[in-house]
Amino acid sequence: MSSTQERRPGTRERLVRSAQELLWERGYVGTSPKAILERAEVGQGSMYHHFAGKSELALAAIRRTADTLAESAEKCLAGPGTAYERVAAYLQHERQVLRGCPIGRMTQDRDMVRDPELRQPLDEMFGWLRGRLAEVLAEGRSRGELSADLDPADTAATVAAVVQGGYVLARAADDPAPFDAAVRGALSLLAAHAGTGTTAPTDH
């Protein structure tokens, strides 16, 4: 067996990865089982050996994507620096802006949001993100890094909304500039609550 074959992921893993990619590209409604099978290079029997059907596979893929995004966000929010610097790191970390958010993309799918089981990972991810941002901002306020009149929960919701709205504006313009502008604006507002010497970046 060649080294390439030895490193190739197993069938279940290829199915999940392919579903992740296609859901991001096409959404739930636009992703057919046939497309997943072709992308994963597996037969129909292999898919139904691991999953009951498209819905179960999609759920596994969405959970994987949500976990990956949470891990990426946590690296920024748990990093060194002030609360402002940690939130800035989250807002400015590298993203494939023109592809949109792989989780936010799912919220635009009617069949997805109408299915409580499929929607659950979306709700959990966004709920966790708002909560984690609020924790960081509350820490900053308690340490005197941010002004006492800053509301951590409301500001966390604003930060999350800036990211999701920035994706939409960038995709509509086919240009990442609106996303970058939204990030700069959010950081300017947050900098106004931060101690002296904190300035928002002039570029993304």
Side-chain angles (χ1 to χ4, degrees):
M1 181 180 292
S2 69
S3 59
T4 301
Q5 289 174 315
E6 289 173 357
R7 291 195 301 267
R8 192 180 193 196
T11 300
R12 188 184 191 282
E13 179 66 13
R14 296 206 308 276
L15 286 166
V16 172
R17 291 184 186 182
S18 297
Q20 284 183 277
E21 294 169 2
L22 287 164
L23 288 170
W24 192 2
E25 293 169 11
R26 307 179 186 182
Y28 182 73
V29 174
T31 298
S32 66
K34 181 180 179 182
I36 296 172
L37 294 172
E38 290 177 350
R39 181 73 62 92
E41 298 181 341
V42 302
Q44 184 172 346
S46 298
M47 175 178 173
Y48 290 102
H49 173 73
H50 294 283
F51 300 98
K54 173 185 171 180
S55 179
E56 186 176 305
L57 173 53
L59 182 59
I62 295 163
R63 283 176 174 160
R64 171 80 65 83
T65 298
D67 289 345
T68 300
L69 290 180
E71 290 171 8
S72 176
E74 181 61 16
K75 286 180 181 178
C76 299
L77 298 173
T82 64
Y84 173 89
E85 289 167 341
R86 290 151 67 192
V87 172
Y90 165 70
L91 283 170
Q92 294 178 299
H93 86 82
E94 187 174 353
R95 296 175 170 89
Q96 296 183 56
V97 174
L98 295 182
R99 291 190 69 186
C101 174
I103 288 296
R105 174 78 174 81
M106 298 298 97
T107 66
Q108 300 169 36
D109 243 304
R110 183 179 62 182
D111 288 9
M112 179 74 69
V113 297
R114 285 183 174 179
D115 186 319
E117 189 174 21
L118 290 175
R119 192 178 67 244
Q120 184 178 358
L122 312 181
D123 293 340
E124 290 176 351
M125 169 58 194
F126 286 125
W128 172 85
L129 179 61
R130 291 192 302 270
R132 188 68 182 95
L133 285 164
E135 286 178 6
V136 171
L137 293 165
E139 288 171 12
R141 190 176 65 175
S142 68
R143 294 172 182 167
E145 298 167 1
L146 299 170
S147 59
D149 62 349
L150 178 138
D151 186 299
D154 286 353
T155 306
T158 299
V159 170
V162 162
V163 172
Q164 292 304 313
Y167 275 122
V168 172
L169 293 173
R171 283 172 60 82
D174 194 27
D175 186 342
F179 184 97
D180 297 342
V183 166
R184 289 195 301 272
L187 290 176
S188 293
L189 293 173
L190 188 57
H193 288 275
T196 58
T198 300
T199 56
T202 57
D203 200 0
H204 180 61

